Amino acid sequence: IDAGSTVWVPVRISNTLASDDLYGAQIRVHISNTAVLAPDASAAVVPGTLMASDSYTYSAALADGWDYMAVEPFGAQPITGSGVLVYLPVRGVSEGCTTLTFSEHILGDSNGLSVAHTTTDAVICVLGKFNLTGATYLQSRISRHYTGTQVVLMGSRDIYTTTTDATGAYTFTGIYSDTYTARLTHGLFVGATRTLTVTQQAATATDIGLWAGDVRGNGVVDQAGWYLCAAASIPVSDPAFDIKDDGATNVLDCIVLAGNIGRANMATTNPPRTVLLQATQPEMSAPSQAGGLYVVALGNGAYSIRLRGTNLKMNALGLRLRLATGSSASSVELRNSFAGGYLRWHQDGTRLYVVASPQGNGTSLGDTEVALVYTDGGGAPVIEAQNSLGVAATRSVYLPMSLR
């Protein structure tokens, strides 16, 4: 049972024969450890169905158990078969196990003689429920910008989930004492795993920080995410990639991400609260602006997003579209070398943000369709801002030569 709860423990009599001539019972139930389990004198004792409803009964709560007696009324039939004599209320006090024994047990027949019998003890275990409080933070963000980190506790008895407030604080109330695997996740940050133990005292988890830069949600900070950050930043300014949560997606966010590329053991170590660049940055090929994106209407609310002729291996693209008033996007689908790659899109009022990268470094040559946007009607969307990033593709050039 749970600590703090009351349960009614049944006392059973079984295998009574007619020849036993059973008419009454008197018991005293003893609890071996009242620091774990105690009689609940505030709750009513409930007679079982073994005896007649007008049987004489007596009960009293003791410091370490219960006294109970029941006698069949005059002229009633003797008890036969099996059933519950009485339900005795007990209350869980603290975690642990304790034994319930019969310190007194008398069964009597119609002549006032004792009926031979055996007794069986019981063990009741109380599961403690306690509180756990903790705090988290997000690398590079200032205080009170830590909202929304999901904290999941996975234990042997149950699983609990909550989210943090603006200060990064969280509380679990009334959870079983156990050793838990805690998983903490937040968009744009690397998830963390910790082992937390909840004991009989209210537990407190030390600060757990999440490293910044997992924009793809695959558990790592890598160069591909750096390209996506660049595509989502100025002038597109997609708020979904605002790592620092300062109201703008720009070079500051990408600097934080770049400082964490290839950093080991991020899931088991805490980051600094500020940006901490590595002494030696990994070698990264800098992308350049590719040919421009434009929109082609296909009819029935479908629009093709196309990339003008380039000779680039595409790294990422970012797009901010202004939709017609009252129009909304129903889906976005990647095409050609972008198909199967990373895609994140969302609508904010009349603005539609699309950030994508190809599967691998797909080569885009000529006039290439990269995405389809489906809307529920209205006028054609207008491109407000765009980033299309890539690196120059290798090309062989053959020159005619005349040798003399």
Side-chain angles (χ1 to χ4, degrees):
I1 67 172
D2 294 339
S5 65
T6 297
V7 297
W8 279 258
V9 178
V11 178
R12 302 179 183 276
I13 297 179
S14 60
N15 304 322
T16 306
L17 305 177
S19 58
D20 291 325
D21 191 29
L22 180 60
Y23 272 87
Q26 181 175 336
I27 58 171
R28 174 170 291 180
V29 174
H30 171 73
I31 300 172
S32 62
N33 188 350
T34 54
V36 172
L37 189 74
D40 190 345
S42 65
V45 172
V46 179
T49 58
L50 188 63
M51 291 188 167
S53 58
D54 57 345
S55 297
Y56 170 78
T57 61
Y58 164 82
S59 62
L62 308 174
D64 61 352
W66 282 96
D67 261 351
Y68 183 77
M69 184 176 72
V71 180
E72 283 280 72
F74 180 76
Q77 295 295 317
I79 300 166
T80 57
S82 302
V84 176
L85 173 66
V86 65
Y87 297 90
L88 299 175
V90 294
R91 184 170 182 81
V93 178
S94 64
E95 187 165 71
C97 294
T98 185
T99 304
L100 275 65
T101 60
F102 294 104
S103 58
E104 185 174 323
H105 48 96
I106 303 172
L107 300 181
D109 63 13
S110 58
N111 295 313
L113 300 177
S114 179
V115 176
H117 61 278
T118 59
T119 61
T120 303
D121 299 336
V123 175
I124 291 183
C125 292
V126 178
L127 301 179
K129 280 194 169 183
F130 308 102
N131 300 335
L132 169 67
T133 58
T136 68
Y137 64 94
L138 303 174
Q139 184 196 14
S140 79
R141 291 191 178 183
I142 61 174
S143 180
R144 302 202 66 81
H145 285 256
Y146 302 146
T147 305
T149 298
Q150 185 182 67
V151 185
V152 179
L153 297 182
M154 293 175 288
S156 61
R157 294 168 176 168
D158 215 335
I159 297 176
Y160 305 94
T161 302
T162 191
T163 54
T164 60
D165 63 15
T167 67
Y170 62 90
T171 300
F172 290 97
T173 302
I175 64 175
Y176 288 116
S177 61
D178 204 347
T179 298
Y180 292 92
T181 298
R183 300 192 186 281
L184 296 87
T185 55
H186 193 290
L188 306 180
F189 292 80
V190 180
T193 301
R194 299 289 191 275
T195 299
L196 301 179
T197 301
V198 179
T199 61
Q200 294 190 24
Q201 292 75 37
T204 302
T206 56
D207 273 8
I208 301 174
L210 303 186
W211 293 83
D214 181 15
V215 299
R216 293 195 297 161
N218 60 347
V220 298
V221 182
D222 55 15
Q223 186 170 336
W226 183 67
Y227 292 137
L228 287 167
C229 182
S233 62
I234 301 297
V236 174
S237 300
D238 186 343
F241 291 81
D242 183 9
I243 293 173
K244 292 176 64 66
D245 196 31
D246 56 4
T249 300
N250 52 34
V251 65
L252 300 180
D253 302 292
C254 299
I255 288 174
V256 176
L257 186 156
N260 289 337
I261 292 176
R263 191 180 297 279
N265 300 321
M266 289 192 293
T268 57
T269 59
N270 284 338
R273 292 179 181 269
T274 57
V275 178
L276 179 63
L277 297 179
Q278 295 187 128
T280 303
Q281 290 290 327
E283 182 179 348
M284 295 188 292
S285 55
S288 58
Q289 288 293 122
L293 295 163
Y294 66 100
V295 179
V296 176
L298 302 180
N300 297 322
Y303 298 92
S304 173
I305 307 298
R306 305 187 70 87
L307 179 67
R308 287 191 175 92
T310 63
N311 181 33
L312 295 175
K313 289 184 177 180
M314 291 302 300
N315 296 123
L317 65 85
L319 191 62
R320 188 176 80 232
L321 295 167
R322 185 177 73 250
L323 301 179
T325 303
S327 177
S328 62
S330 57
S331 67
V332 177
E333 174 186 321
L334 295 182
R335 305 283 286 179
N336 293 318
S337 64
F338 277 74
Y342 172 87
L343 170 65
R344 179 165 185 170
W345 67 274
H346 63 99
Q347 184 173 342
D348 184 5
T350 60
R351 285 179 167 174
L352 175 66
Y353 295 89
V354 179
V355 175
S357 62
Q359 190 174 31
N361 288 328
T363 301
S364 298
L365 298 175
D367 193 3
T368 306
E369 183 178 63
V370 294
L372 289 176
V373 175
Y374 297 92
T375 69
D376 59 4
V382 177
I383 295 179
E384 288 188 334
Q386 60 174 291
N387 276 328
S388 47
L389 306 176
V391 295
T394 302
R395 173 174 288 179
S396 298
V397 178
Y398 298 92
L399 298 177
M401 300 180 67
S402 176
L403 302 180
R404 299 182 180 215

